[in-house]
Amino acid sequence: MTMVEMRSVRPMVETHRVYRVDRRIPEGNAGVTLDLVDERAGPPMGIQPGQFVMVWLPRIEERPFSVVDVDVDGDGRHTLTLTIAAIGPFTEALCALRPGDRLWIRGPYGSGYTLIGERHLLIGGGSGTASLYLLARSAAELGHTLTVVLGARSASQLMLVERFRALSGDGPVAGHPQVAVELATDDGSAGFYGTALGAAQAVVDSPTFGSCDSVYACGPEVMLRAVCAAAAEHGVPCQVSLERAMKCGLGVCGACHCGDRLICYDGPVFACDVVTALWEQEAD
Amino acid sequence: MIDLAVELCGVRLRNPLVLASGIWGSNAGMLVRAARDGAGAVTAKSCSLDARIGHPNPTVLAWEGGLINAVGLSNPGAAAQAEMLMQAKRELSEFGVALIASVFGDTPEGFAAAVQHIVAAEPDLIELNVSCPNVESEFGRPFAFDPDATAEATRGVRQIWGGPLLVKLSPNAPNLVDVARAAVDTGADGLTAVNTLGPGMIIDVHAGCPVLSNRVGGVSGQALLPIAVRCVYELAAAVDVPIIGTGGVSRGSDAMQMIMAGATAVGLGSALYREGSTVFGRIADELVALMEMEGYADLSFRGCAHRMPCRESR
Ligand SMILES: Cc1cc2nc3c(=O)[nH]c(=O)nc-3n(C[C@H](O)[C@H](O)[C@H](O)COP(=O)(O)OP(=O)(O)OC[C@H]3O[C@@H](n4cnc5c(N)ncnc54)[C@H](O)[C@@H]3O)c2cc1C
Ligand SMILES: Cc1cc2nc3c(=O)[nH]c(=O)nc-3n(C[C@H](O)[C@H](O)[C@H](O)COP(=O)(O)O)c2cc1C
Ligand code: FES
């Protein structure tokens, strides 16, 4: 019967894996970055930049978070990095975790970013910044040129700035890739004075935009819409990562739909032409 | 050319494969995608008169035998649901794919009150979900355990909906056939068998607690297949209405088992977890290949497992 019965595409089981907080780095007063160590030293997660995991705190909740970074040490033990913006009960519970505390993770899920060309523009608003770091690191490791725009309400709300900056110095990537990090704040307390949307537009209008091969963005949807529109206008390929409330994370329940796509299964990263059509479907 | 077309309660389906309720929700975009990818009919998520948020996460888990879920019947309420279904119906008719609306209530009146709204969307069929195991703590025992309660819910809806009416049964009901007879006697035109099994529980041994926030949830997928096939077989022997055989179908041979047990159509739910709606095309292809192998030109082998000897050896 094997002739007519193909086997499935997805792994059979997706149970939670237990991680322990190894390091807790405050991100201004916006939240924290957590380095998590896999307790059982299991095989590292194979993660594409832009993919996400479901994080479960027993008896509390389970929610989606982008994988910021993943590192494997000499013993095969891997460290997973997440960056959490405290905006409600669950993210506050995550921010309250201390080194040694445990948390439960399943995934990774979804489809990530695809690097196009060698000169990239990355635009992150708020916690959307988290979705872009692994992409930036991958591009830097390939020796590509990057401009990263990070936006937030105020200086104290900016996330992962030093981590992105380190990519161009003596950070995790050998050599000195060209990584320019630009900041924008709604209140002007750091970098460009204006909303993430305004900052994106300023970058979009700058020569950087026209000269880049591809744009990647994650953040508030109003910002993503503006980025998509500008990219289309300049004929630059663009990918954005969408967020929707999630239940299963498995492409089953339909909670995270946008038009005829599921953010957890088909996304969260979509090409701009796809996402523009989805927004139109949603508006109907 | 093998013909997969079937008639379900007077509604023609281009093939017997039906998207099961609760998979992919009720949004037109998702239902149309299932249709585009080959479903013969699509069932929307169950709705109630009033909106429900459902249970907190975790709500769905994958395990070796399939899925376990306690989504908790989250839905926007029947009035909003009717709006969504109206749009879905419009778009689905372009594909010639039938829309099945699904409704549940906490009382017989609740079922009828929700159906009252849903009628406006003119679905091709309405399915009464009397069998959800995930809201037992809230609603008490499912209607589908009790022939009288099922009859009452069915009768109430029958008075306000003249179109094809399905009643969805529970694999947990020890008196499954009695419940089915009660539904048919009070006006059901067909049956859907089955809803999820259980409830079941999965405990995370490191956390030392159940993983689902609801603690228990309905079991679906592969683990359910032999039970669902047996339920369909028992029902087909006892009542003379079409059945949508649902539970654990993920291959062409699973669908064929359902049809041989007596199902007119075959529901697919958990199978979408693995591969999305491309599963419809794959299972249809596998079913056709099996039919060719066995020399069937159409689905008239339905119920053949009831005949003794089952089929002649050739
Ligand atoms: C694919 C994906 C990846 C994500 N990655 C990250 C990440 O790396 N880091 C991170 O901090 N967060 C991320 N999020 C968002 C994160 O899941 C939510 O912030 C979290 O679930 C909120 O839970 P809560 O209980 O703290 O707040 P809730 O009480 O659930 O929400 C608090 C308030 O914020 C609103 N809200 C909820 N989610 C968002 C959101 N995403 N953006 C803006 N407002 C929201 C709610 O409507 C509510 O008003 C991601 C979401 C998705 C879908
Ligand atoms: C996540 C999920 C949600 C479901 N929601 C509903 C629902 O709202 N109404 C309903 O009648 N059945 C619901 N079901 C049950 C399915 O329709 C189906 O009867 C059951 O899963 C068995 O089929 P399967 O093994 O193909 O999944 C749900 C199942 C799952 C997995
Ligand atoms: S959360 Fe995406 S389908 Fe359930």
Side-chain angles (χ1 to χ4, degrees):
Chain A
M1 215 67 59
T2 44
M3 186 183 69
V4 289
E5 298 192 349
M6 293 179 339
R7 259 305 157 199
S8 54
V9 233
R10 282 260 213 158
M12 281 290 282
V13 200
E14 300 190 29
T15 44
H16 293 92
R17 288 161 72 155
V18 190
Y19 286 78
R20 223 176 255 285
V21 176
D22 187 43
R23 208 154 60 107
R24 179 185 184 282
I25 311 154
E27 294 284 352
N29 56 24
V32 297
T33 289
L34 300 175
D35 284 345
L36 309 169
V37 181
D38 178 13
E39 269 200 348
R40 292 229 218 132
M45 285 188 176
I47 291 167
Q48 296 295 313
Q51 285 192 303
F52 70 93
V53 291
M54 295 295 286
V55 180
W56 175 46
L57 290 180
R59 301 178 182 87
I60 302 182
E61 249 290 356
E62 183 187 49
R63 294 291 172 97
F65 294 89
S66 304
V67 175
V68 169
D69 208 349
V70 56
D71 262 308
V72 185
D73 69 15
D75 305 330
R77 201 172 264 273
H78 75 277
T79 304
L80 199 65
T81 304
L82 305 179
T83 297
I84 319 290
I87 63 157
F90 187 66
T91 46
E92 271 155 24
L94 288 178
C95 288
L97 294 177
R98 297 290 156 206
D101 288 347
R102 297 162 109 192
L103 65 176
W104 279 250
I105 291 179
R106 61 183 172 100
Y109 297 118
S111 65
Y113 300 99
T114 310
L115 281 174
I116 299 173
E118 300 194 347
R119 292 164 304 169
H120 311 287
L121 172 60
L122 280 59
I123 305 171
S127 68
T129 301
S131 139
L132 295 169
Y133 178 78
L134 197 54
L135 177 75
R137 183 177 164 177
S138 309
E141 278 167 357
L142 292 167
H144 294 181
T145 304
L146 289 134
T147 303
V148 183
V149 182
L150 305 177
R153 284 201 304 280
S154 68
S156 63
Q157 298 278 310
L158 284 163
M159 304 184 97
L160 292 171
V161 175
E162 291 317 313
R163 206 178 180 100
F164 276 99
R165 280 192 175 137
L167 284 174
S168 58
D170 308 320
V173 180
H176 292 274
Q178 291 176 34
V179 181
V181 178
E182 296 178 18
L183 306 178
T185 47
D186 297 358
D187 64 1
S189 50
F192 176 92
Y193 186 171
T195 60
L197 172 62
Q201 247 149 11
V203 172
V204 158
D205 293 337
S206 78
T208 317
F209 195 85
S211 67
C212 72
D213 297 327
S214 189
V215 181
Y216 315 81
C218 184
E221 216 148 296
V222 49
M223 177 193 107
L224 300 183
R225 282 172 196 260
V227 171
C228 274
E233 197 178 302
H234 289 76
V236 181
C238 175
Q239 296 159 58
V240 301
S241 180
L242 298 185
E243 286 188 7
R244 286 286 182 285
M246 284 182 188
K247 282 179 176 284
C248 70
L250 300 173
V252 170
C253 73
C256 67
H257 76 85
C258 178
D260 64 355
R261 305 295 169 108
L262 296 169
I263 302 304
C264 72
Y265 182 72
D266 304 304
V269 177
F270 296 95
C272 268
D273 49 344
V274 173
V275 103
T276 306
L278 294 178
W279 284 328
E280 276 163 19
Q281 280 185 44
E282 273 199 325
D284 282 348
Chain B
M1 190 53 192
I2 289 207
D3 183 12
L4 288 183
V6 294
E7 203 186 283
L8 178 69
C9 306
V11 180
R12 189 184 176 280
L13 312 185
R14 61 183 178 177
N15 71 52
L17 304 179
V18 177
L19 176 70
S21 179
I23 284 56
W24 281 14
S26 301
N27 160 261
M30 297 312 300
L31 297 179
V32 168
R33 175 167 166 184
R36 211 166 46 219
D37 284 347
V42 295
T43 316
K45 169 95 188 152
S46 299
C47 79
S48 47
L49 179 61
D50 298 317
R52 289 173 53 87
I53 303 173
H55 299 307
N57 282 343
T59 46
V60 186
L61 301 169
W63 62 289
E64 289 89 334
L67 300 178
I68 182 166
N69 93 83
V71 169
L73 294 171
S74 49
N75 77 91
Q81 179 87 350
E83 297 277 324
M84 289 163 77
L85 295 185
M86 247 176 251
Q87 189 190 345
K89 164 83 190 200
R90 216 168 30 239
E91 295 181 24
L92 286 167
S93 52
E94 284 172 33
F95 294 86
V97 167
L99 172 65
I100 307 175
S102 172
V103 168
F104 77 97
D106 49 355
T107 60
E109 298 73 35
F111 276 90
V115 166
Q116 203 104 49
H117 287 279
I118 294 304
V119 166
E122 298 178 17
D124 296 288
L125 300 102
I126 291 182
E127 180 173 279
L128 302 185
N129 174 8
V130 293
S131 46
C132 183
N134 303 331
V135 288
E136 211 172 318
S137 53
E138 209 176 325
F139 293 160
R141 269 158 41 105
F143 282 66
F145 285 15
D146 179 355
D148 294 337
T150 299
E152 219 183 319
T154 309
R155 195 181 294 116
V157 170
R158 187 74 284 179
Q159 282 164 9
I160 53 171
W161 166 247
L165 182 62
L166 300 166
V167 172
K168 185 167 181 180
L169 303 174
S170 166
N172 303 320
N175 49 352
L176 178 68
V177 164
D178 296 337
V179 177
R181 285 209 181 97
V184 171
D185 290 347
T186 46
D189 303 301
L191 302 168
T192 302
V194 288
N195 210 315
T196 51
L197 177 71
M201 178 182 285
I202 291 180
I203 292 172
D204 183 289
V205 295
H206 305 289
C209 69
V211 185
L212 294 172
S213 75
N214 189 50
R215 299 193 301 281
V216 299
V219 176
S220 61
Q222 292 92 310
L224 183 53
L225 178 69
I227 295 163
V229 170
R230 185 268 301 163
C231 290
V232 170
Y233 186 92
E234 274 185 14
L235 292 169
V239 293
D240 197 18
V241 295
I243 300 166
I244 304 181
T246 305
V249 174
S250 68
R251 297 173 299 187
S253 60
D254 303 340
M256 199 158 189
Q257 287 195 58
M258 284 292 192
I259 297 165
M260 288 181 162
T264 295
V266 177
L268 298 181
S270 305
L272 272 81
Y273 154 59
R274 301 216 180 283
E275 50 191 291
S277 47
T278 57
V279 73
F280 290 103
R282 176 175 66 78
I283 292 184
D285 289 348
E286 290 174 2
L287 183 58
V288 165
L290 275 170
M291 287 168 68
E292 275 168 356
M293 199 182 286
E294 296 301 319
Y296 297 121
D298 56 35
L299 297 172
S300 56
F301 61 85
R302 175 182 316 118
C304 73
H306 293 266
R307 295 190 278 276
M308 282 303 221
C310 290
R311 73 172 296 208
E312 282 133 54
S313 48
R314 273 175 290 155

